[in-house]
Amino acid sequence: MQSNAINKLKKLNALWTVNGVNLFTKFINLTFFAFVYFLLPIENETYKDLRRNFYYYYPQIKKGRPRPLDPIRIIVQSVFLLFIKQIPSKTSTINVFFNSLLKVFKNTVIRPLSAITSVFTGKLTEVADQKETVVLKESRKTVILVFLGLSFVASILAVTQPLDVSYQLVFVALMWIVATLLKSEKTRVTLMLMIFISIIISTRYIYWRITKTILFTDPVTITFALLLLVAEVYAYAVLILSYFQVCWVLDRKPYPLPEDTALWPSVDIFIPSYNEPLDVVKPCLLAALDLDWPKDKLKVHMLDDGSRAEFEKYCKSIGVNYIIRKEHNHAKAGNINHALTLTNGDLVAIFDCDHVPTRAFLQMTVGWMVHDENIALVQTPHHFYSDDPFEKNLSIKGSVPAENSLFHDFIQKGNDTWNATMFCGSCAVIRRKPLEEIGGIAVETVTEDAHTSLRLNRKGYSSAFISLPLAAGLATESLADHINQRIRWARGMVQIFRIDNPLFGKGLTIPQRICFANAMIHFLHGLPRIIFLLAPLPFLFFNVYVIFATGMMIFAYVLPHMIHSTMTNQQIQGNKRFYFWGVIYETILSWYITVPTLIALISPKHGKFNVTAKGASNEETYFDWTVSKSYIFMIFLNFAGLIYGIYNIFFDPFAQVGVIIINLLWVCYNLLVLGAASAVALERRQVRTSPRVSCEMECTIDISKFQKINAIITDFSKDGLGIKLSEKIEGSSYQGLFKDGQLVVINIENNSVIYKFNAEVKFSNQNKLGLAVKLDTLQENIEYIRCTFACADRWAHSFEGLKQDTLFHGIHTLVKFGLNGYIKMLKKAPFVFKQLLWIVVSTLLFTFSMLPVPLDINGKKIFDKRK
């Protein structure tokens, strides 16, 4: 028996021997050495780096606190790191293949298409010579209309083609590969093709939903199914309209004024106010007086609807015309219309009383009105130097685009393409003659600004948008103030849609009708957003099919629709809106704007103008339970659905596991969004009523007649400066050089002129100082505003610094802020709710600790964003 075994081993050995070399032995040796190499990588640089930065590559693993499921977390993160390119120098095989495929795609498809398109548009870059703006504007309109027309025809052919689930998966997989390749190439052609693909996928999804997924069995099922379908059709309509609105934006630059100032028009500056404190209004008045415009052609008017004696006294002391009225009807619109009857300037520039215009505001805007007499409105972006509730409460300023950035810095450019720029109530110049032709500022709605621009367009006048921040103001102080402001906007836009619907009537082009209509129906998002937040619950609780389809069919249709619309919108919006933040903003408002907008649809005359409070302070950090109660209600509903769905998977023998899992994923997404919305309700302490603005300005400080120090101004407010000393004196210490209460002189250079200001030291800490500026005369006040808030290029940096977000980073951000919201509620909750909240938070923390994490979340390393 033993000899038989030996003979078999000899035969096996002979099989592995080729030309005298035993391959089996070689294989064993290589396997052993590979095993040793991977386990003991003494000289392997990759493993050295991994050992040094293990907790960076695997942030889910807690140092010194191992958990039972850490091996699974390491495996998930390792797979993620293998397929997602994190560091340019370490390119995986997947990325090498991807880049090669992309290169072929560029050479064979993208460049030929770009060349063909450039024949029609002249060039694909934005306009440098403003004389070409109008020509390029018209040519791009032609290209867009032709392209979207072809997309519509192709969509009809593509969406009606019946495919079973396997072929549908192949189709969407191919579309995703093409869209991913297109996303890596930043041209107008690739953007148009991505829009084309997204329209096909989304239209096919809506067609499938309408024709295949509605189950007409009982009234309850029909009701829930139709509610979700209506919400989806609404979202689809807004998606298509927004693609049209911003697919090719016009980045208009200022047009030069004539050299002869005699040809410049006269301008009335209107600064309306009602109940704002005088300290909030002063910077605006001083900056308006100092506008770089011929003084004989400039008049500043304070429109005080509060009729306050202290305002009248201050305005007379600085040379501002003070205007009041006996009847305070029609709020801000009536205030401006009254002032129109008392003034006679060729143009009217309007600023909210908390906005501070830069000195160059009129020179940057009026040029287009001189060049083209048909332009009745020039609007500039609304920029805020104080933190809005999201930036303040979430500490995201500078890392996430501001909430208003998408509209004021981007969508308005798209409106300008179609001659549909909207008046935003402030930071704008309007030609008096057209304004008087339409009867002044519109008074029929509470969004008088947008209604006025609609009427100007109906009269055949043009509008323009200058994409430069030329003024800055105060953002809403709290989440409650922000919601109240948006309620007014939502109600007003729906009022316009009802009483002066842009889709009907005379005077508007088709693109103008689409742009105005999209802006108005956007504010109807409240009810659809609530439906989306609650839609998975009927199935989880009552087995009601809101979408009658298998889990695989839902996966094959729903997920591609979401991915392509999100990917395409992110490509369009760039660094003006990051992944998922739009959903968070809408969720915060949805509960509160639903009833006002529905009432405005039924009875548009209901509702009144409410003034947004500015310049307030907040002595303590607190959680606003009143504002967040709607979010908490929906959180508990979704969490109950999550628990019940998991229970059914394990204990219901007839459970459709695939469909339940899809609904559970939907519920988890909703919980994260609601958590992030709730996080904003924690109002942080804010003692200062005058926010500090970060900056970097060189200056010198005179300690005495013979001693000067170079320094950097790091921040400023309306009466104070933060200073960083930039050079050492007598060794390496500033100790004893400055004392609290010490008087110094600070020298600031602005436009080649040096301005001197007396200041008092409020605190000193090593090389940092806090100064209170002493401004005794009108001229000193004006010069200080000129050097700070009204400096010509003060806010130009607001467009810089942010890179386009990535999907993986967006997911991680959503998880981070979603969980942060629950932790905030847990800390501030009454004892009755703490236990239940603890269960919610613990469950979510455990679930999402298993997700992969991108390596750029702490700013240490940045994703390789292919260009």
Side-chain angles (χ1 to χ4, degrees), residues 125-138:
T125 56
E126 298 300 344
V127 184
D129 184 356
Q130 291 301 335
K131 293 181 180 180
E132 299 176 17
T133 300
V134 177
V135 176
L136 184 57
K137 184 175 177 180
E138 295 303 319

Side-chain angles (χ1 to χ4, degrees), residues 14 45 85 95 114 160 209 265 338 341 357 423 466 471 522 577 623 662 684 689 724 736 738 809 813 818 853 858 861:
E45 291 298 324
K85 185 177 176 185
N95 281 290
S114 298
T160 57
R209 284 282 287 114
H338 174 256
T341 65
F423 175 39
I466 304 295
H522 163 75
R577 177 63 55 85
F623 193 88
I662 288 175
R684 292 185 179 275
T689 57
K724 180 180 179 181
F738 295 98
H809 183 261
T813 302
V853 180
N858 296 317
K861 294 186 180 181

Side-chain angles (χ1 to χ4, degrees), residues 569-794:
N569 269 314
Q570 189 59 28
Q571 187 77 348
I572 293 172
Q573 297 163 5
N575 64 352
K576 300 301 184 294
R577 177 63 55 85
F578 282 1
Y579 285 99
F580 308 115
W581 281 98
V583 177
I584 295 172
Y585 297 144
E586 286 187 3
T587 299
I588 287 172
L589 298 177
S590 59
W591 189 275
Y592 298 98
I593 69 171
T594 297
V595 173
T597 52
L598 291 178
I599 291 175
L601 271 178
I602 299 168
S603 179
K605 293 186 178 180
H606 280 80
K608 62 180 182 179
F609 189 98
N610 57 302
V611 179
T612 304
K614 300 289 179 67
S617 61
N618 177 29
E619 297 295 334
E620 295 180 357
T621 297
Y622 66 95
F623 193 88
D624 195 333
W625 293 99
T626 302
V627 167
S628 59
K629 60 186 177 184
S630 59
Y631 318 140
I632 295 170
F633 172 69
M634 289 188 283
I635 285 170
F636 284 136
L637 286 179
N638 275 274
F639 187 71
L642 177 67
I643 299 301
Y644 193 64
I646 294 173
Y647 171 84
N648 284 335
I649 288 177
F650 288 100
F651 298 103
D652 184 356
F654 304 105
Q656 295 190 37
V657 177
V659 180
I660 291 177
I661 289 175
I662 288 175
N663 280 278
L664 290 181
L665 291 174
W666 192 347
V667 163
C668 289
Y669 173 74
N670 288 342
L671 285 171
L672 288 175
V673 171
L674 289 166
S678 301
V680 190
L682 183 68
E683 297 289 350
R684 292 185 179 275
R685 183 171 180 265
Q686 179 182 314
V687 178
R688 292 193 182 101
T689 57
S690 177
R692 290 189 174 271
V693 181
S694 298
C695 67
E696 189 171 343
M697 294 189 293
E698 294 182 355
C699 67
T700 59
I701 300 175
D702 296 347
I703 302 176
S704 65
K705 290 183 179 180
F706 308 103
Q707 191 173 21
K708 293 187 177 184
I709 298 177
N710 293 328
I712 300 292
I713 300 174
T714 57
D715 60 75
F716 63 82
S717 66
K718 62 183 179 62
D719 52 12
L721 297 170
I723 303 292
K724 180 180 179 181
L725 305 176
S726 56
E727 67 177 29
K728 301 294 182 183
I729 295 179
E730 298 178 0
S732 59
S733 175
Y734 293 99
Q735 188 174 0
L737 189 61
F738 295 98
K739 298 179 180 179
D740 292 355
Q742 179 180 348
L743 297 179
V744 297
V745 176
I746 185 165
N747 305 280
I748 304 175
E749 183 177 347
N750 179 262
N751 199 23
S752 301
V753 178
I754 296 178
Y755 298 94
K756 294 179 177 290
F757 304 100
N758 294 320
E760 178 184 349
V761 177
K762 287 298 183 181
F763 77 87
S764 60
N765 181 14
Q766 296 181 350
N767 67 332
K768 294 182 180 180
L769 293 177
L771 302 180
V773 183
K774 304 294 183 181
L775 306 171
D776 300 321
T777 67
L778 172 62
Q779 188 60 30
E780 287 178 347
N781 277 275
I782 290 177
E783 289 175 349
Y784 179 73
I785 293 294
R786 182 185 300 174
C787 293
T788 53
F789 292 95
C791 184
D793 59 349
R794 170 61 60 214

Side-chain angles (χ1 to χ4, degrees), residues 623 625 628 631-633 635-636 639 671 675 678 818-819 821-845:
F623 193 88
W625 293 99
S628 59
Y631 318 140
I632 295 170
F633 172 69
I635 285 170
F636 284 136
F639 187 71
L671 285 171
S678 301
L819 296 179
Y822 292 108
I823 293 172
K824 287 180 177 180
M825 283 192 289
L826 184 62
K827 290 180 178 178
K828 298 291 181 178
F831 180 77
V832 178
F833 298 108
K834 278 194 175 182
Q835 296 301 318
L836 184 57
L837 280 173
W838 182 84
I839 295 173
V840 175
V841 173
S842 300
T843 304
L844 292 175
L845 284 172

